[in-house]
Amino acid sequence: MLRTVAPPPHSPARPARAADPDRRRTSARTVLRCVLEHGPVARSTIARLTGLSPASVTDHCARLTELGLVREATAPRRSGGVGRPHLPLDVDGARLVVGGVHVAVPYTTVALLDLRGRVVAERRLPHPGTEPLRVLARAADGLAELLARVPERRPLGVGFAAGGWVDRAAGTVVDHPLLGWREVPVREALRARTGLPVHVDGHARALADAERLFGRAARGGGSALHLFAGNIVDAAFATHDEVHHGPRSQAGAIAHLPLAGGTERCPCGRTGCLQAELSERTLCRRAREAGVCDGRNPLHVVDAAAAGHPVATRLLRERARMVGRAVGLLTDVLNPESVIVTEIGVIHRPDCLAALRGELDPARAATVTPTSFPESVLAVAGGAVALDVLYRDPLSVSPERIKFRNSEC
């Protein structure tokens, strides 16, 4: 007869202990996301929604409160008016902020965001030149000025976003052809100037993360496509609560996809490349040639259309239709559940959104919405890079470091 021999008393526990930190981080992330999505929310509800034990929820809520990430609601709620009052938890939007830096072609946007992705302070810094280290130094100084306005807030870190090829893991802008940036060590430069953790990503992916955390259409873990059409045109795709990056974060580079009906000559030598056709530079040039406005700021075209200029209206609607064709091209390949578009006409004008949707079949058209952040899209893009890291690993927050840096500001 075979005899079963019990394993040594400590050997099975070792793998479990090794896995405990990862499990603890995953559970803390789950609890914080639940508070973000449902807060103010009772601990008992968090346990029910997440499937975690009440004891585990209590433990994680205590740690998240200690870190300053969540707080108890000021007004306790009683269940049926009797018994011990419930103290619902909410994300603490009053004490902590992240810095956001978004580098566009004509200017840099610096901002402070609270933990719900809301803009606390924002400033736009026109570029005196595009030398990268000078631009980044000016951005760091701009963040310091914003922090000085809110001395009661503590900074957790800085998020950086830009168009072009941005390598999240390396913390570099690999290539931004319109700025002439190549292999710029953004994370290293901003960390040296701010003393804070710095996280870097492309702006389409950053906005996809912002929609996933704080937006209207992409929450809940379904698949979503985000199309950004500014001076740079790029895209991001998210599924199961993850934004796809690809090797060296090259996913979403769609600038040279051929666009049906495109007539614009691209610097690559071809005609009808997606970015050449949809770039705000192209819109501004066409507006200038038509005598609509000075052709330097795409918002001037929107203003002219709002004032009743028929050519400005036509230019915006034509651009929106071409964006709709780009959406059709990408959704044929990716088949997302929702599509979010950041494009100046679609953001400001219902007729442009209708023109975009008119290029799609009715079922697909119904999935398309404008960005959830129409008044602060670039500020949110920068800050969302840091907030995405926070919500993925809230236990990485260091209260001691935050307090130290705040005492120096």
Side-chain angles (χ1 to χ4, degrees):
M1 177 182 295
L2 293 175
R3 185 173 62 179
T4 303
V5 179
H10 298 296
S11 59
R14 287 177 183 169
R17 281 201 300 267
D20 280 346
D22 288 340
R23 189 159 50 239
R24 185 173 178 81
R25 289 180 184 279
T26 300
S27 298
R29 177 176 66 212
T30 300
V31 169
L32 184 58
R33 284 291 300 274
C34 185
V35 176
L36 174 68
E37 294 176 15
H38 301 283
V41 59
R43 291 170 178 82
S44 57
T45 305
I46 296 172
R48 176 174 57 81
L49 291 172
T50 63
L52 296 170
S53 70
S56 178
V57 168
T58 298
D59 177 57
H60 287 300
C61 288
R63 179 59 176 156
L64 295 173
T65 300
E66 179 186 348
L67 292 171
L69 303 179
V70 303
R71 60 174 176 79
E72 290 183 339
T74 54
R77 296 185 298 184
R78 293 181 181 272
S79 176
V82 295
R84 186 177 179 180
H86 295 285
L87 291 173
L89 293 173
D90 203 356
V91 171
D92 191 338
R95 291 187 293 172
L96 300 176
V97 291
V98 298
V101 176
H102 179 277
V103 176
V105 175
Y107 55 81
T108 295
T109 301
V110 294
L112 302 178
L113 276 64
D114 70 13
L115 301 191
R116 281 198 170 273
R118 298 172 296 204
V119 177
V120 174
E122 179 179 355
R123 187 179 175 194
R124 183 172 291 180
L125 307 172
H127 292 161
T130 58
E131 197 282 318
L133 295 185
R134 184 180 179 191
V135 169
L136 295 173
R138 196 157 184 253
D141 291 343
L143 284 177
E145 291 175 13
L146 293 183
L147 284 167
R149 298 181 195 174
V150 287
E152 72 282 5
R153 303 267 188 164
R154 294 182 294 165
L156 282 173
V158 178
F160 170 94
W165 178 4
V166 181
D167 188 337
R168 178 184 176 106
T172 62
V173 172
V174 180
D175 185 28
H176 193 305
L178 298 186
L179 288 174
W181 288 17
R182 287 191 61 81
E183 300 292 350
V184 177
V186 172
R187 181 167 59 208
E188 177 185 321
L190 284 177
R191 185 166 52 196
R193 298 282 304 195
T194 65
L196 293 166
V198 176
H199 309 283
V200 174
D201 209 346
H203 60 197
R205 291 190 294 268
L207 286 167
D209 279 323
E211 295 284 352
R212 182 178 55 79
L213 289 169
F214 314 113
R216 299 182 298 265
R219 297 177 75 170
S223 58
L225 168 71
H226 179 261
L227 176 62
F228 186 100
N231 284 308
I232 293 283
V233 179
D234 49 16
F237 181 68
T239 185
H240 296 110
D241 213 29
E242 293 283 345
V243 176
H244 181 60
H245 284 75
R248 287 210 72 189
S249 298
Q250 293 186 77
I254 59 173
H256 297 288
L257 289 179
L259 191 58
T263 60
E264 195 71 20
R265 188 75 171 171
C266 180
C268 76
R270 293 180 291 182
T271 297
C273 289
L274 198 151
Q275 182 166 290
E277 194 66 34
L278 299 183
S279 172
E280 287 178 353
R281 286 186 165 190
T282 301
L283 173 66
C284 287
R285 195 205 72 236
R286 290 172 176 172
R288 184 171 60 250
E289 291 172 351
V292 172
C293 57
D294 62 9
R296 293 189 178 90
N297 187 333
L299 279 173
H300 295 169
V301 186
V302 175
D303 292 341
H309 198 302
V311 177
T313 300
R314 175 178 59 80
L315 289 173
L316 289 171
R317 288 178 181 170
E318 286 178 352
R319 185 174 191 244
R321 280 192 286 270
M322 297 301 280
V323 172
R325 293 181 189 178
V327 169
L329 178 67
L330 295 171
T331 55
D332 282 346
V333 176
L334 298 171
N335 192 30
E337 295 171 56
S338 60
V339 180
I340 302 100
V341 175
T342 300
E343 189 272 335
I344 196 165
V346 171
I347 290 173
H348 293 284
R349 295 181 60 90
D351 61 327
C352 288
L353 179 58
L356 184 158
R357 288 173 170 167
E359 295 295 316
L360 306 168
D361 66 76
R364 180 63 71 199
T367 69
V368 179
T369 59
T371 176
S372 301
F373 318 102
E375 304 303 323
S376 55
V377 64
L378 302 185
V380 169
V385 180
L387 288 170
D388 171 59
V389 173
L390 168 67
Y391 278 98
R392 289 184 183 281
D393 187 7
L395 298 184
S396 65
V397 172
S398 170
E400 294 79 12
R401 179 181 177 83
I402 295 166
K403 185 175 181 180
F404 173 74
R405 293 304 307 174
N406 192 55
S407 67
E408 292 187 344
C409 289

